[in-house]
Amino acid sequence: MQEFVRSVSLALNGLPRLHKVLLGMLTALTLAVAAWNPVLNHTPLKREIALDIETQRDLQPEASEPLDQVMPNDAPELEPEKDDLDKKLEEAVHEHTVESGETLGSILTQYGIDMSDVHALTKSNPEVQRLGIGQELSWKLDDDGLLKQLTWAVNNRETRVYDRSDNGAYKRSVETMQGTWQNDRVAGTIDGSFVSSAKAAGLSTREIQQVTKALQWQVDFRKLKKGDKFSVLMSREFLDGKVTGSGEVKAVRLNSSGKDYYAIQAEDGRFYNREGAGLAKGFLRLPTLKQYRISSNFNPRRLHPVTRRVAPHNGTDFAAPIGTPVLSIGDGEVVKAGYHPYAGNYVVIRLGRQYQTRFLHLSKILVKQGQKVKKGDRVALSGNTGRSTGPHIHYEFLLNSRPVDPMKVKLPMSDGLAGQERRAFLARTKEYLPQLTLD
């Protein structure tokens, strides 16, 4: 070893001075790189770094709400007072009548159901993708918002039910009706709430929900008086002379304070007045005079980028400047208006019986609780109040008190019938009206 060192020393001494300097610098650089990059020879260390709130907010979407401070959907300040009919509608399963061009995916996702649930359902049950126009779908969700059960009414005789199992797959069962279908009339008088009066008359919970949806644009069920009368014509299934529980409302007549209100079902499954005019009040798709960029989409399963916990975003955010007019999307009533530490200035509007809209983080409220509004009325000015990451309009659309995607949900239609469809409807109406007696 000593001979080796002596040989190296003699070799170095024989080098020119410049070469010695360069060799020394190269040696020092090699040692520095080895010390600076130990990953080449060692297992890397893992460290969890907790970010403070201000650092986390740097990761928030612009013109939205802080992900670490989610506004609860059922915040009592934003919830209007509920009666027994509201509770029945919230307990109801979701229902949808298939229209031209719709698919199972396009139907379910507009109600906030994740596409992964749709894929899990169709993977083992591909036939459910072959939907027909006019067929009825209904479904239930679990507490986490996952698709728990889907019911597909193929026709009056056959119903297919798909239930989610523990492994996430869906198991199909088929229900075949063996009874006979015939028209049946139920009449009653209001004595207390509409729900209790309808039940006393013999209507099922599902039939009460159908009546409510049919008349929601004409009648405020909270203001019915004792002595008001109603008559409901239904198609019901009978087995051995008894009602099986399956039925569908065909026509409704309600007399309140001496005035008659009618809703007649056409072949397309919608309800119209006696002349075939639409009963539903058409809605605006957007609550603004022009379309603004969406800064944060509706996403009930949004994940916090740091904690990876679900932080639902139950509305759609538009990046609109402060002071932008906010419009009511339809005719309705202001049921809440005020301030919340998270929501800032907010307005809640009830539209019909099934629908609500919410507008949060407003700079100014232009309406009062209890005020009636028309489609297109200015109800507020956009802002940046409450827990907000930038000026925007936070817009929520609720169906039976459940948030759905405002940009995808099927909106009520106000179009009436025409041509052959109207002639067929009028012939049906002529048949139904004499059966809607109030005694």
Side-chain angles (χ1 to χ4, degrees):
M1 182 67 181
Q2 293 180 349
E3 290 295 330
F4 174 74
V5 174
R6 187 178 299 108
S7 298
V8 172
S9 178
L10 291 174
L12 290 176
N13 290 334
L15 291 175
R17 187 173 186 280
L18 178 60
H19 288 185
K20 292 180 181 179
V21 173
L22 292 176
L23 183 60
M25 292 174 61
L26 181 59
T27 302
L29 180 61
T30 301
L31 293 174
V33 170
W36 174 73
N37 193 15
V39 178
L40 295 175
N41 302 303
H42 301 281
T43 302
L45 298 176
K46 293 183 179 180
R47 296 179 60 194
E48 293 186 0
I49 302 176
L51 301 181
D52 58 29
I53 294 299
E54 293 303 321
T55 304
Q56 290 188 36
R57 285 180 181 171
D58 290 339
L59 302 173
Q60 313 297 336
E62 50 88 25
S64 186
E65 298 82 37
L67 289 170
D68 57 312
Q69 299 169 353
V70 178
M71 178 71 194
N73 181 58
D74 58 351
E77 295 89 345
L78 274 66
E79 282 288 306
E81 294 183 6
K82 297 179 181 180
D83 55 20
D84 53 356
L85 186 53
D86 286 317
K87 296 174 182 177
K88 288 295 179 185
L89 288 173
E90 290 179 19
E91 295 170 0
V93 296
H94 296 277
E95 297 178 343
H96 186 96
T97 302
V98 180
E99 297 184 356
S100 177
E102 290 187 319
T103 64
L104 181 66
S106 67
I107 292 171
L108 296 183
T109 54
Q110 69 178 273
Y111 292 96
I113 297 176
D114 196 86
M115 201 61 192
S116 61
D117 286 348
V118 179
H119 290 153
L121 172 60
T122 57
K123 182 179 180 180
S124 54
N125 304 279
E127 77 281 356
V128 78
Q129 299 181 82
R130 297 189 290 271
L131 301 176
I133 298 173
Q135 292 179 334
E136 295 287 338
L137 291 176
S138 59
W139 58 90
K140 297 179 181 178
L141 306 178
D142 63 16
D143 294 338
D144 296 322
L146 300 176
L147 182 62
K148 179 181 180 182
Q149 181 188 80
L150 178 86
T151 302
W152 176 20
V154 180
N155 51 50
N156 284 344
R157 292 288 181 182
E158 181 182 342
T159 300
R160 301 177 186 179
V161 181
Y162 303 86
D163 289 290
R164 188 186 189 102
S165 56
D166 293 338
N167 63 3
Y170 289 85
K171 183 179 180 181
R172 185 187 74 173
S173 60
V174 180
E175 300 174 359
T176 303
M177 303 299 182
Q178 302 296 330
T180 59
W181 290 78
Q182 62 188 60
N183 285 349
D184 186 34
R185 182 187 70 92
V186 172
T189 302
I190 300 298
D191 185 13
S193 70
F194 175 73
V195 171
S196 61
S197 303
K199 277 191 172 182
L203 292 178
S204 68
T205 297
R206 185 173 185 273
E207 290 164 348
I208 293 173
Q209 293 160 1
Q210 291 176 347
V211 170
T212 303
K213 294 175 184 178
L215 289 175
Q216 64 178 314
W217 305 110
Q218 302 181 80
V219 177
D220 187 341
F221 286 87
R222 296 169 297 175
K223 297 182 180 179
L224 294 179
K225 300 177 181 178
K226 184 176 182 179
D228 289 346
K229 297 181 179 294
F230 59 89
S231 181
V232 183
L233 181 65
M234 293 164 292
S235 177
R236 281 177 160 176
E237 185 193 35
F238 289 81
L239 185 64
D240 296 330
K242 297 181 180 180
V243 178
T244 64
S246 299
E248 182 178 11
V249 173
K250 295 295 184 182
V252 184
R253 175 187 177 188
L254 189 147
N255 184 279
S256 179
S257 300
K259 183 177 180 180
D260 279 325
Y261 300 91
Y262 290 88
I264 313 293
Q265 188 187 56
E267 292 183 2
D268 63 4
R270 296 195 183 98
F271 285 88
Y272 301 84
N273 67 11
R274 288 175 292 175
E275 289 73 38
L279 295 175
K281 305 294 185 181
F283 287 177
L284 300 173
R285 175 62 71 181
L286 299 174
T288 51
L289 291 171
K290 68 175 185 177
Q291 185 167 357
Y292 290 91
R293 178 176 59 85
I294 294 178
S295 56
S296 184
N297 286 295
F298 173 84
N299 186 358
R301 299 185 185 180
R302 179 180 61 174
L303 293 178
H304 192 290
V306 176
T307 66
R308 308 307 296 170
R309 294 178 180 176
V310 174
H313 189 244
N314 291 324
T316 297
D317 292 338
F318 299 95
I322 293 176
T324 300
V326 179
L327 313 179
S328 174
I329 66 166
D331 297 355
E333 178 183 355
V334 179
V335 291
K336 286 282 185 174
Y339 181 84
H340 186 278
Y342 282 11
N345 294 319
Y346 65 88
V347 171
V348 182
I349 300 175
R350 183 197 290 271
L351 309 158
R353 192 73 202 199
Q354 294 177 269
Y355 308 96
Q356 289 180 42
T357 55
R358 292 176 175 176
F359 304 104
L360 314 183
H361 310 297
L362 307 168
S363 63
K364 186 175 183 180
I365 298 173
L366 304 179
V367 291
K368 297 180 180 180
Q369 184 170 326
Q371 181 177 333
K372 302 288 186 181
V373 293
K374 294 289 186 181
K375 180 171 68 175
D377 283 354
R378 297 187 178 195
V379 298
L381 300 179
S382 67
N384 191 30
T385 58
R387 303 294 173 85
S388 173
T389 59
H392 70 286
I393 299 172
H394 177 93
Y395 168 40
E396 295 184 13
F397 189 104
L398 287 81
L399 176 60
N400 296 335
S401 297
R402 296 177 182 271
V404 297
D405 190 340
M407 299 295 100
K408 294 181 180 179
V409 66
K410 185 176 73 171
L411 300 177
M413 298 178 61
S414 59
D415 297 340
L417 298 171
Q420 179 57 38
E421 290 182 341
R422 184 172 184 272
R423 287 191 289 271
F425 173 83
L426 293 178
R428 175 181 293 195
T429 300
K430 187 176 180 180
E431 174 190 349
Y432 288 167
L433 288 181
Q435 302 180 60
L436 292 173
T437 56
L438 296 173
D439 50 14

